[in-house]
Amino acid sequence: MALPSAHAIGYKSILDSLTSAVLVLEGNLNIQYLNPAAESLFETSMTRSHGQPFRDILVDSEDALKTLFAAVDNGQSYTRREAEFLLTSGSRLTVDYSVTPISLEPIELLIEIQPRDRLLRISREEDIISQQETTRILVRGMAHEIKNPLGGIRGAAQLLDRELNSEDQREYTRVIIDEADRLRSLVDRMLGPNKALKLAPTNIHEVLERVGTLLEAESKGRLQFSRDYDPSIPEFRGDKEQLIQAFLNIARNAMEAAFENQAGHRSGEPPTITFRTRTLRQFTIGHRRHRLVCRIDVIDNGPGIPPDLLQNIFYPMISGRASGTGLGLSITQSIIGQHHGLVECESEPGRTDFIIFLPLEDTP
């Protein structure tokens, strides 16, 4: 289980200290060595994997195996960028990796792997946060330009209403006033919650159970709920009522999608929503690294979100339904953002997962 060289012990000590994942394979692609970073990356151990075929820790690894066999046959180094590894646990990894032959008789391969998922996720989150801030600035500017003339229109209609004696004519001024009020309300909703957060110790599972109770009542028992909670998640300082609204917006969309799927495509599968919670340590949201973060997944078995819509679902007025206002997810993102968290979405046919990250420590 040691590296095959005259200085194996010294090399092993160095490799064990690296944060990059390093593997050594024999010419038949059996695993000879993994450093601790590789053990963590592949969710296995050196003791368990030593002597096992490399394909045992990967699923659907044909592209990687072709690269490795080419290195064995040609004795040349190869590098692959943003390759995808599928682990036996079901986890998907995006990695850069290099393959280097380190001896020829017998041939052995040194594989250096750099995970890209975290960097890609941080870049994606920075884009989301930047888009959210840009949208907030645009909406506030647009709201100011809309609300000023609306106020003038409403005031003029009220003055005109007082001057009219005919009830039939006053009906028109009331329509103007009502429509002006409706537009003002819509603009206010686009701006999101404008109340300061009322922070207090909050249990995330109480929030989710409240949302589940509301949806069970709305669905009249037609919706199945699956709960997968981590009971060790501590309380955090949050605004319970606003968080309930944020998760309710997501869960209502999930419920409608699940019902839509049952009616249209997979009627044999009952509409189902899953609430799952987990803790993450040393997790980065945007530019800030948090010691402890709560991850909440709201998963439905609906038809999925079209790829061309997925990138824009958090913008105001973007909706995949004719009856939708397109404000629910925008408001949710605003509320979670006020809690220094973030909302992401992953979707494919039959499974949509809204992922919410909330820091569990006090954030200034």
Side-chain angles (χ1 to χ4, degrees):
M1 291 171 59
L3 280 175
S5 87
H7 304 286
I9 295 177
Y11 289 159
K12 182 178 183 300
S13 176
I14 293 172
L15 293 175
D16 283 352
S17 303
L18 294 178
T19 57
S20 301
V22 176
L23 299 85
V24 175
L25 304 183
E26 299 173 343
N28 59 4
L29 303 189
N30 286 350
I31 297 171
Q32 192 169 7
Y33 167 79
L34 295 88
N35 72 345
E39 291 178 322
S40 176
L41 183 70
F42 289 104
E43 302 173 6
T44 186
S45 67
M46 176 65 184
T47 302
R48 180 178 178 181
S49 300
H50 181 257
Q52 299 300 312
F54 181 63
R55 66 168 67 243
D56 282 3
I57 62 175
L58 291 181
V59 179
D60 189 25
S61 54
E62 291 307 315
D63 287 343
L65 293 176
K66 287 178 182 177
T67 302
L68 298 177
F69 279 123
V72 171
D73 294 339
N74 303 328
Q76 296 180 351
S77 300
Y78 289 87
T79 299
R80 293 289 180 267
R81 301 294 182 190
E82 295 192 10
E84 186 175 85
F85 286 173
L86 176 60
L87 305 186
T88 54
S89 65
S91 302
R92 290 187 180 273
L93 304 174
T94 302
V95 301
D96 294 341
Y97 70 96
S98 299
V99 182
T100 306
I102 55 174
S103 63
L104 296 178
E105 294 183 2
I107 193 166
E108 293 160 350
L109 301 178
L110 176 71
I111 307 176
E112 304 169 77
I113 302 174
Q114 290 285 350
R116 296 281 299 168
D117 295 89
R118 183 173 179 181
L119 293 176
L120 292 172
R121 183 186 60 77
I122 291 173
S123 176
R124 185 174 67 250
E125 288 179 357
E126 288 177 346
D127 287 343
I128 291 173
I129 293 170
S130 176
Q131 290 173 4
Q132 185 181 355
E133 184 60 29
T134 301
T135 301
R136 186 181 297 114
I137 293 171
L138 289 173
V139 168
R140 291 191 182 281
M142 183 177 65
H144 177 75
E145 295 300 323
I146 291 174
K147 290 171 80 171
N148 281 345
L150 272 181
I153 292 170
R154 191 183 192 283
Q158 285 178 314
L159 291 174
L160 181 60
D161 186 72
R162 295 171 188 169
E163 298 295 325
L164 295 175
N165 296 319
S166 170
E167 190 64 28
D168 290 339
Q169 291 178 329
R170 295 179 71 184
E171 183 67 26
Y172 294 115
T173 58
R174 293 194 185 102
V175 169
I176 296 172
I177 293 169
D178 289 344
E179 288 302 296
D181 288 341
R182 186 179 66 84
L183 287 174
R184 184 183 182 90
S185 176
L186 179 62
V187 171
D188 287 339
R189 290 178 63 197
M190 288 177 63
L191 291 171
N194 56 11
K195 297 184 297 184
L197 296 179
K198 297 180 181 179
L199 298 178
T202 303
N203 184 305
I204 191 60
H205 298 132
E206 289 182 3
V207 171
L208 296 178
E209 286 301 298
R210 174 73 176 278
V211 170
T213 299
L214 291 171
L215 289 192
E216 284 175 340
E218 292 180 14
S219 66
K220 299 179 181 178
R222 294 183 297 148
L223 185 68
Q224 290 192 4
F225 276 93
S226 174
R227 295 165 173 85
D228 181 7
Y229 291 160
D230 178 355
S232 68
I233 296 176
E235 290 187 337
F236 63 99
R237 287 180 58 78
D239 186 319
K240 183 177 179 179
E241 293 306 316
Q242 290 207 31
L243 286 172
I244 289 172
Q245 184 61 58
F247 283 98
L248 189 59
N249 290 343
I250 292 176
R252 277 189 175 137
N253 284 348
M255 178 178 68
E256 292 175 8
F259 284 148
E260 177 184 337
N261 207 37
Q262 183 193 41
H265 302 287
R266 296 162 58 187
S267 57
E269 183 177 341
T272 303
I273 292 179
T274 299
F275 290 158
R276 183 170 63 209
T277 59
R278 293 291 185 270
T279 52
L280 304 172
R281 298 184 183 279
Q282 302 302 326
F283 191 82
T284 302
I285 299 176
H287 296 285
R288 184 178 179 85
R289 189 175 182 84
H290 299 275
R291 183 179 59 83
L292 196 63
V293 166
C294 177
R295 169 176 170 154
I296 307 101
D297 293 77
V298 180
I299 306 168
D300 69 70
N301 62 344
I305 301 172
D308 58 339
L309 184 62
L310 187 60
Q311 301 300 319
N312 302 313
I313 57 174
F314 294 107
Y315 285 120
M317 312 307 292
I318 300 295
S319 176
R321 297 182 178 84
S323 60
T325 63
L327 295 177
L329 292 179
S330 175
I331 291 171
T332 291
Q333 186 73 281
S334 177
I335 293 172
I336 298 300
Q338 286 181 284
H339 286 79
H340 306 284
L342 190 69
V343 186
E344 295 182 353
C345 181
E346 298 174 356
S347 185
E348 60 186 29
R351 186 181 191 275
T352 296
D353 184 2
F354 278 90
I355 308 163
I356 301 92
F357 301 101
L358 286 171
L360 291 174
E361 77 270 15
D362 288 341
T363 306

